[in-house]
Amino acid sequence: MTSIWGDGVTGETETTARRLRHGMESGVLSFPFTSFHDDGSLDLDGFRAHVAAQLATAPGAVFPACGTGEFFSLDEDEYRQVVTAAVEEAGGRTPVVAGVGYGWAQAARFARIAEEAGADALLVLPHYLVAAPQNGLVAQLERLAARTRLPLVAYQRGQVTYTPAALRRIADIPNVIGLKDGHSDLDRLQRLTLAAPEGFLFFNGAATAEIQARAYATVGVPAYSSAVHAFAPEIANAFFGALRAGDDKGVERLLRDFYVPFVELRDRVPGYAVSLVKAAARLRGRPVGPVRAPLTDPSPADLADLKTLLASGLDLVGATL
């Protein structure tokens, strides 16, 4: 198999892969919210302010218009505005990886917009609705890759799961540079990392990834996305620092006293993986606004519990609400 650093890989793709690898080693991956006004319309100024605040905390990369950014609710014009704003705020200092999704034809339309907006790479979100065989999953990426010059990171979650054989095939597509995993099947993931070529990137994309960060690292996947970073970068960066320093007591303290109770609160209602974290950002005065349907904002009781937990979590790292 050809390594992603070998023949068929453009210099631009290689540069982006190296920048992402460096970012993965230096900080958490930021998935910013998309800001909306109370009437549901796009709040671009709020989004810019939110992204700027995220960038100020030195994330390894910024992933606008992905799952946390409610990609599924954006039309193409809104998507263009969001990705353009993220690229402008990053100013070339931090890699910007935009989400694309649905079927390959529609994903290619979003990919074209992201390319025109100046994004560095694309995260390919799971396709719409149907289950598909491995040949179809590979063909989906082949067709999208043929229609964009941008590097692609595949995302296995929901109905998308790759076998080692399929992983080898997608890694042979010149501009597919990595895989984000949201299944948390570490046996399968270990098989994938062993099947991948040298230099292929892997990301821990589990919901509230910090909970499983140590387990993912044991199978060779230390990099992770952090929803907590979107509303409490102080907590997310403290956890990242403790994890990388081998401070097991610090890691376990944050897991026990913040992350585990946060996950228990998140699991109360479907969709809280987005709407609860967005509410946490609002509690801190961030201009992110409400979620769009079919998501719903937290109930008053859950919001009160969130405020108490957030305040105690920030106190653990010497920060305030």
Side-chain angles (χ1 to χ4, degrees):
M1 182 191 307
T2 302
S3 164
I4 66 167
W5 308 121
D7 295 338
V9 177
T10 67
E12 189 173 357
T13 297
E14 180 176 340
T15 297
T16 298
R18 290 191 187 280
R19 290 182 68 205
L20 280 173
R21 179 174 293 282
H22 174 74
M24 291 158 57
E25 293 170 351
S26 63
V28 300
L29 306 177
S30 170
F31 283 68
F33 307 114
T34 299
S35 299
F36 301 119
H37 295 292
D38 288 342
D39 64 1
S41 60
L42 179 66
D43 177 8
L44 195 61
D45 289 340
F47 176 74
R48 282 185 177 276
H50 173 52
V51 171
Q54 290 282 283
L55 288 166
T57 64
V62 176
F63 289 67
C66 293
T68 304
E70 298 177 75
F71 166 78
F72 60 86
S73 77
L74 301 176
D75 65 30
E76 291 182 13
D77 181 61
E78 291 171 330
Y79 178 84
R80 182 186 300 275
Q81 293 181 66
V82 165
V83 177
T84 298
V87 169
E88 291 175 351
E89 293 299 326
R93 298 179 300 275
T94 303
V96 176
V97 184
V100 298
Y102 307 114
W104 65 262
Q106 194 165 1
R109 292 173 62 92
F110 283 99
R112 191 175 309 114
I113 294 170
E115 187 172 330
E116 292 169 354
D120 296 292
L122 303 171
L123 177 65
V124 185
L125 302 171
H127 63 269
Y128 174 70
L129 190 62
V130 296
Q134 294 295 302
N135 284 343
L137 297 179
V138 174
Q140 164 95 335
L141 286 176
E142 289 175 335
R143 284 161 174 73
L144 176 57
R147 288 162 174 80
T148 180
R149 64 172 180 79
L150 293 180
L152 307 178
V153 175
Y155 190 2
Q156 64 168 18
R157 192 185 186 105
Q159 71 270 36
V160 176
T161 302
Y162 295 101
T163 63
L167 187 282
R168 287 190 286 268
R169 291 174 62 192
I170 67 172
D172 273 337
I173 302 170
N175 52 336
V176 175
I177 62 172
L179 177 74
K180 182 181 180 185
D181 174 71
H183 285 300
S184 303
D185 182 340
L186 297 183
D187 178 282
R188 179 184 293 271
L189 186 58
Q190 180 70 91
R191 295 168 192 263
L192 294 179
T193 62
L194 294 173
E198 180 183 358
F200 198 74
L201 306 178
F202 284 92
F203 307 81
N204 168 2
T208 314
E210 287 91 343
I211 291 287
Q212 300 186 63
R214 288 191 293 187
Y216 267 81
T218 65
V219 296
V221 185
Y224 61 90
S225 56
S226 174
V228 171
H229 187 272
F231 65 86
E234 304 97 326
I235 298 173
N237 286 341
F239 182 90
F240 180 87
L243 183 67
R244 291 304 168 92
D247 177 8
D248 288 338
K249 289 185 177 179
V251 166
E252 289 165 7
R253 179 167 173 258
L254 287 166
L255 287 174
R256 181 180 57 251
D257 296 340
F258 175 75
Y259 282 98
V260 168
F262 177 76
V263 168
E264 292 171 350
L265 180 56
R266 182 203 69 198
D267 288 347
R268 288 182 185 176
V269 176
Y272 267 16
V274 176
S275 59
L276 191 75
V277 293
K278 205 170 190 183
R282 291 197 302 273
L283 287 173
R284 304 199 71 193
R286 308 294 189 255
V288 298
V291 292
R292 278 181 170 174
L295 300 178
T296 59
D297 289 311
S299 68
D302 289 344
L303 193 61
D305 289 345
L306 174 63
K307 186 174 182 178
T308 299
L309 176 60
L310 179 56
S312 65
L314 290 167
D315 186 62
L316 289 173
V317 297
T320 59
L321 188 62

